[in-house]
Amino acid sequence: MALAKMKADATEARLVGLSLPDGAAWANAARADALARVRQMGLPTKRDEYWKYTDPVTLTTPDTPEAALFEGGEKLLFDAVDRVKIVFVDGVFDADASDDLTGEGVEIERLADVAAADIHWAKDIYGVLEARGQSPVERPLAALNTAMASDGVVIRATEKVSKPINLIYLHKDVSSDATLHNVVKVETGAEVTLLETGPAAARFSKCLEVEVADGGAFHHVRSQGRDHERRAVTHTFARIGAESTFKSFTLTFNGVLTRNECIIEISGDDAVAHVAGACVGDGRDFHHDDTVFITHDAVNCESRQVFKKVLRNGATGVFQGKILVKHGAQKTDGYQISQSLLLDEDSQFLAKPELEIYADDVACSHGSTSGAIDEDALFYLRSRGVPEKEATNLLTLSFLAEALEEIESEALADDLRDRLEGWLARHS
């Protein structure tokens, strides 16, 4: 009872001064339902099972912790890629910096405009996938996002889209508190690539809901980096149909606290879902948490979870991953691996891999390891004239390679490798 009252009080304190954005009847209903879920669940505390490794207090406090701006002089990631750019500055859409939101085979709209329309296909997804993802694990920060987000993008792919869509999140206010909600619908046989880059805000909450119809394909590549003091909590909810593909990769640098949750429901036969991530953290203030939940509810489907973390100087990494195979989901192929490379004795990696299987014709596996640089490999490189710092960086890149291989586009993967090499060189 004491914990429940503490959570209720903290939740009401967070909601003071906040008001639901106004929109059409369906948007208002979705937001009101989400707010009711927040109040019913209460905002998370470190005593909640799926938050025991990560303290959410700075994500739930009414006051936004400040984050200093970081100017590294680097050009924007994916700058050489022909793409559609959509820019948000501290959570506010920047029309002047964004490209035209029209394209062949794709419809792109702002959530602010969509939520004001009386009839729109987004009403069948907005808040719907998030609500489905609340069981069996509650995710109140995602519900809070659904309730309070007033903007984001809404994307509908009707065929194979030639250009990636790049959401660029810029941070220019040291005390900004941004909330964005994005919705993607991939129609039957269609395909689209979504890129996300940038620190976004001092504190950033983002929710992405993706529905992939039969035979569709969704590719997602995200980079979170630059600002050292930023905090972020992100949620990705996906529902994928028969013979469809969902692939998501995230690369994270810097940041005080990053919590990325991915919840996927495989509802059609012969579908494929891959979620991967790589992070490099330096310093005691770095805390990075990947939490994944994949549900198999169809026959002959494949899922992969591949997460690699490189930690040094007291950094902390967390991985919580689960594969749930429901009754009747025969011939499931589920693979999960989480590994950390600890470059000193002060860093730590906390892992909680889980399998829950109710079918008997499956091939599911999980593994989690932590270790230091391979001394034999390091000696081999140094004996051939490679300096120790350079050799360490080469072995670090090799360790991260399995996660980077999950990226479908080699050009995008190469861009991320170059950025990784630069980060490692600066932090050697």
Side-chain angles (χ1 to χ4, degrees), residues 128-198:
V128 175
L129 300 188
E130 173 262 301
R132 291 176 65 89
Q134 297 292 348
S135 177
V137 179
E138 294 180 343
R139 307 177 196 279
L141 289 176
L144 181 64
N145 179 290
T146 300
M148 298 301 172
S150 60
D151 213 348
V153 295
V154 176
I155 300 169
R156 177 172 172 257
T158 56
E159 57 186 75
K160 186 170 183 177
V161 183
S162 59
K163 291 184 180 181
I165 300 166
N166 188 185
L167 304 183
I168 301 171
Y169 306 124
L170 301 181
H171 175 207
K172 295 186 178 181
D173 182 347
V174 296
S175 59
S176 57
D177 192 3
T179 301
L180 293 175
H181 195 112
N182 303 321
V183 176
V184 178
K185 184 175 184 180
V186 182
E187 299 284 9
T188 301
E191 183 174 352
V192 68
T193 297
L194 179 68
L195 310 177
E196 295 186 278
T197 55

Side-chain angles (χ1 to χ4, degrees), residues 73-237:
E74 295 177 314
K75 65 179 182 179
L76 288 175
L77 197 60
F78 309 131
D79 219 21
V81 177
D82 185 16
R83 68 210 194 278
V84 178
K85 300 188 295 295
I86 304 173
V87 180
F88 289 87
V89 180
D90 293 310
V92 178
F93 177 68
D94 187 339
D96 293 335
S98 301
D99 292 335
D100 183 12
L101 302 186
T102 59
E104 186 175 344
V106 65
E107 302 167 6
I108 307 173
E109 301 170 86
R110 287 179 58 194
L111 176 64
D113 297 329
V114 167
D118 291 330
I119 300 175
H120 199 279
W121 58 261
K123 71 181 179 63
D124 296 326
I125 301 176
Y126 183 85
V128 175
L129 300 188
E130 173 262 301
R132 291 176 65 89
Q134 297 292 348
S135 177
V137 179
E138 294 180 343
R139 307 177 196 279
L141 289 176
L144 181 64
N145 179 290
T146 300
M148 298 301 172
S150 60
D151 213 348
V153 295
V154 176
I155 300 169
R156 177 172 172 257
T158 56
E159 57 186 75
K160 186 170 183 177
V161 183
S162 59
K163 291 184 180 181
I165 300 166
N166 188 185
L167 304 183
I168 301 171
Y169 306 124
L170 301 181
H171 175 207
K172 295 186 178 181
D173 182 347
V174 296
S175 59
S176 57
D177 192 3
T179 301
L180 293 175
H181 195 112
N182 303 321
V183 176
V184 178
K185 184 175 184 180
V186 182
E187 299 284 9
T188 301
E191 183 174 352
V192 68
T193 297
L194 179 68
L195 310 177
E196 295 186 278
T197 55
R203 182 169 66 181
F204 184 42
S205 170
K206 191 213 68 182
C207 193
L208 169 64
E209 295 180 285
V210 182
E211 183 169 79
V212 186
D214 296 351
F218 175 75
H219 301 283
H220 178 222
V221 180
R222 172 173 58 172
S223 173
Q224 302 168 309
R226 296 179 63 84
D227 293 12
H228 293 270
E229 297 177 3
R230 64 173 178 79
R231 291 168 171 82
V233 57
T234 75
H235 293 83
T236 299
F237 297 92

Side-chain angles (χ1 to χ4, degrees), residues 23-99:
W26 67 268
N28 289 342
R31 287 163 172 160
D33 289 346
L35 183 59
R37 290 196 293 276
V38 174
R39 285 197 160 106
Q40 180 182 12
M41 293 181 286
L43 293 179
T45 72
K46 206 168 186 294
R47 295 177 65 179
D48 292 329
E49 176 65 22
Y50 279 88
W51 285 92
K52 66 181 181 180
Y53 298 139
T54 300
D55 190 347
V57 65
T58 56
L59 300 174
T60 60
T61 181
D63 299 323
T64 305
E66 291 191 352
L69 305 181
F70 174 73
E71 294 297 335
E74 295 177 314
K75 65 179 182 179
L76 288 175
L77 197 60
F78 309 131
D79 219 21
V81 177
D82 185 16
R83 68 210 194 278
V84 178
K85 300 188 295 295
I86 304 173
V87 180
F88 289 87
V89 180
D90 293 310
V92 178
F93 177 68
D94 187 339
D96 293 335
S98 301
D99 292 335

Side-chain angles (χ1 to χ4, degrees), residues 200-274:
R203 182 169 66 181
F204 184 42
S205 170
K206 191 213 68 182
C207 193
L208 169 64
E209 295 180 285
V210 182
E211 183 169 79
V212 186
D214 296 351
F218 175 75
H219 301 283
H220 178 222
V221 180
R222 172 173 58 172
S223 173
Q224 302 168 309
R226 296 179 63 84
D227 293 12
H228 293 270
E229 297 177 3
R230 64 173 178 79
R231 291 168 171 82
V233 57
T234 75
H235 293 83
T236 299
F237 297 92
R239 179 170 56 191
I240 66 176
E243 299 180 358
S244 63
T245 299
F246 174 97
K247 291 189 176 182
S248 177
F249 173 85
T250 300
L251 176 63
T252 304
F253 312 89
N254 306 335
V256 172
L257 172 61
T258 305
R259 164 89 167 205
N260 296 324
E261 297 196 30
C262 187
I263 303 92
I264 302 173
E265 179 184 356
I266 304 176
S267 58
D269 296 345
D270 303 300
V272 173
H274 289 195

